[in-house]
Amino acid sequence: MAGSVPGVSELVADARRVFGQVFGGEAPPVAVCAPGRVNLIGEHTDYNQGFVLPMALPLVTVVVGSQTSGQDVSIVTATEDADEPRRVDFSLAGDGSALSPGLPRWANYVKGVLQHYRAPPVPGFRAVIASSVPLGGGLSSSASLEVAFYTFLQQLKPDDGDKVSKAVACQQAEHTHAGVPCGIMDQFVCVLGREGHALLIDCRSLQASLVPLADPHLLILITNSNVKHSLSGSEYPSRRRQCEEAASVLGRDSLRDATMEELDEARGRLDEATYRRARHVIAEIQRTLQAAEALKRGAYREFGKLMVESHNSLRDLYEVSCRELDELVSAAAEVEGVFGSRMTGGGFGGCTVTLLQAHAIDRTILHMQERYSGTPTFYVTTPSAGARALTLS
Ligand code: GLA
């Protein structure tokens, strides 16, 4: 990781310190964490029942806390956000209206998880959240918070432990309480990520296979453009609708099994933008499968070529990239030792992901810094573990 990012134990110490300041009393007995994620390839394919290839990050959200005797809930976030109060209080008693979405916005993820928790009712509690996942940076800060909170509730009142259902419950929280009709990728990999591996997720069957990614000669560089265009909110649901429209014209449940030939035959019945969206999705699903195979063989050049194709398709056909992401990807591609680079996540800002030879890391960062018109943040990462309870010393 880049030097300045706090590790899990630092975040736990920070959250426990805040807990003591706010609530006093004994140190909280429970601590959990859940990672952010980066998607290596397979973008905007999850809600089309396709394949994705993400990995969990060493950037995490931590929740510490303790159960209380009543039904009152108090949650504090240690994350600075100048616009919003850092504390929220409500009661779990009554008709559940306390769980309706409202302000502060960060608490909606928690309320959504409480609403969709699979072993209700949960007892009252006090909790503090601390995170190293950049907010709104395209590394799934929201899924990381949802999954961390779900994991926290599991320590207070266990559910049946089914991990896929846990990911689905957290996805529901995002749908109902953040208003984002997201696919399953983010929550799935936050729950099931594994150290030293990427996950090839089949978003139709909800089964995943582990793809080893622990070659010491290889690095994954995440570059945050530090821009977030306002388009990101409205364009995501509209892309999703266009894909559903294309699938329905093709007479399919989703674009998962649609072929390019079918799409071209139906071209006259689709508007131009919808046609291009579907073209991206159909090709991207195939690229993701090829990329997973290439990674298993250690064929990094082939993998990198697929990453670049994915980026170009997101830029030209799916139209979710932006000038800043394109700049970063082009800059990375100019460096000797870089296998490939692409935008990652929903788009319109956020991050790029670059696969490169370990020895090329310094010159890659330097070159991207020089070429980028904005101020980037870099994270040198390795695939990390999914959500877990932490043992406190
Ligand atoms: C966001 C969503 C995911 C996925 C990506 C695009 O991160 O939360 O479900 O659709 O965009 O691949």
Side-chain angles (χ1 to χ4, degrees):
M1 291 297 299
S4 59
V5 175
V8 176
S9 46
E10 277 171 87
L11 288 169
V12 170
D14 193 29
R16 295 186 100 197
R17 187 180 47 75
V18 172
F19 191 99
Q21 282 168 357
V22 176
F23 301 116
E26 290 185 8
V30 177
V32 301
C33 75
R37 66 97 187 91
V38 68
N39 189 19
L40 299 172
I41 195 163
E43 217 66 82
H44 290 278
T45 49
D46 59 353
Y47 53 83
N48 289 295
Q49 306 208 10
F51 290 89
V52 292
L53 187 66
M55 62 178 224
L57 293 175
L59 301 165
V60 295
T61 300
V62 156
V63 179
V64 307
S66 56
Q67 184 170 330
T68 54
S69 51
Q71 289 182 289
D72 291 342
V73 168
S74 299
I75 311 161
V76 172
T77 172
T79 309
E80 304 278 349
D81 188 340
D83 297 344
E84 297 210 294
R86 285 169 57 178
R87 175 173 176 153
V88 68
D89 298 275
F90 53 88
S91 170
L92 296 170
D95 61 359
S97 55
L99 298 184
S100 302
L103 292 174
R105 282 184 302 268
W106 60 263
N108 290 335
Y109 300 104
V110 175
K111 292 178 184 171
V113 170
L114 278 163
Q115 176 140 337
H116 295 282
Y117 189 62
R118 297 178 59 252
V122 292
F125 59 86
R126 291 167 162 174
V128 174
I129 301 162
S131 186
S132 57
V133 188
L135 291 183
L139 301 180
S140 279
S141 53
S142 56
S144 166
L145 173 55
E146 289 148 10
V147 171
F149 228 88
Y150 195 106
T151 311
F152 175 74
L153 296 181
Q154 286 177 306
Q155 314 312 305
L156 305 186
K157 181 167 184 228
D159 67 353
D160 63 8
D162 183 292
K163 291 191 170 185
V164 173
S165 305
K166 171 175 173 177
V168 171
C170 292
Q171 180 197 23
Q172 289 305 315
E174 181 97 19
H175 286 190
T176 59
H177 281 65
V180 181
C182 64
I184 190 65
M185 165 169 73
D186 304 347
Q187 291 80 8
F188 195 109
V189 68
C190 289
V191 174
L192 286 121
R194 188 82 68 82
E195 211 175 321
H197 294 83
L199 276 191
L200 178 65
I201 308 170
D202 178 337
C203 299
R204 180 162 63 190
S205 68
L206 297 185
Q207 285 178 342
S209 55
L210 293 169
V211 181
L213 182 53
D215 182 338
H217 303 298
L218 195 69
L219 280 180
I220 295 142
L221 172 67
I222 296 172
T223 308
N224 193 344
S225 66
N226 288 314
V227 297
K228 188 87 205 154
H229 294 289
S230 56
L231 277 178
S232 57
S234 56
E235 294 290 303
Y236 187 91
S238 103
R239 293 294 181 287
R240 195 174 170 148
R241 275 196 305 276
Q242 287 171 319
C243 292
E244 283 160 7
E245 157 76 11
S248 122
V249 168
L250 297 183
R252 300 265 188 192
D253 286 345
S254 72
L255 290 174
R256 162 67 175 265
D257 295 318
T259 64
M260 248 0 150
E261 293 70 39
E262 278 171 14
L263 180 66
D264 282 334
E265 272 166 33
R267 188 168 187 169
R269 288 181 282 139
L270 292 165
D271 69 62
E272 182 55 24
T274 306
Y275 169 78
R276 278 187 276 128
R277 308 299 184 241
R279 236 190 128 72
H280 163 76
V281 171
I282 294 169
E284 183 80 354
I285 291 173
Q286 291 314 313
R287 265 194 293 272
T288 306
L289 289 171
Q290 282 170 25
E293 280 310 310
L295 201 54
K296 284 182 199 156
R297 281 185 276 116
Y300 304 137
R301 251 169 238 298
E302 190 181 330
F303 190 94
K305 204 169 145 269
L306 292 162
M307 289 175 85
V308 172
E309 282 174 26
S310 166
H311 181 80
N312 294 344
S313 175
L314 288 159
R315 183 191 60 204
D316 301 335
L317 297 175
Y318 218 67
E319 297 180 279
V320 290
S321 188
C322 60
R323 178 181 56 78
E324 292 88 347
L325 293 172
D326 295 343
E327 255 178 43
L328 288 170
V329 166
S330 305
E334 286 163 1
V335 183
E336 162 115 44
V338 166
F339 294 117
S341 184
R342 56 184 288 280
M343 58 152 277
T344 182
F348 301 105
C351 294
T352 65
V353 58
T354 303
L355 190 77
L356 71 161
Q357 285 172 356
H359 66 74
I361 188 67
D362 291 343
R363 62 172 184 260
T364 304
I365 290 181
L366 211 64
H367 186 72
M368 289 176 82
Q369 226 154 9
E370 272 170 20
R371 282 282 315 275
Y372 184 44
S373 56
T375 311
T377 312
F378 296 97
Y379 304 97
V380 181
T381 64
T382 45
S384 304
R388 57 206 180 269
L390 302 166
T391 318
L392 293 171
S393 50

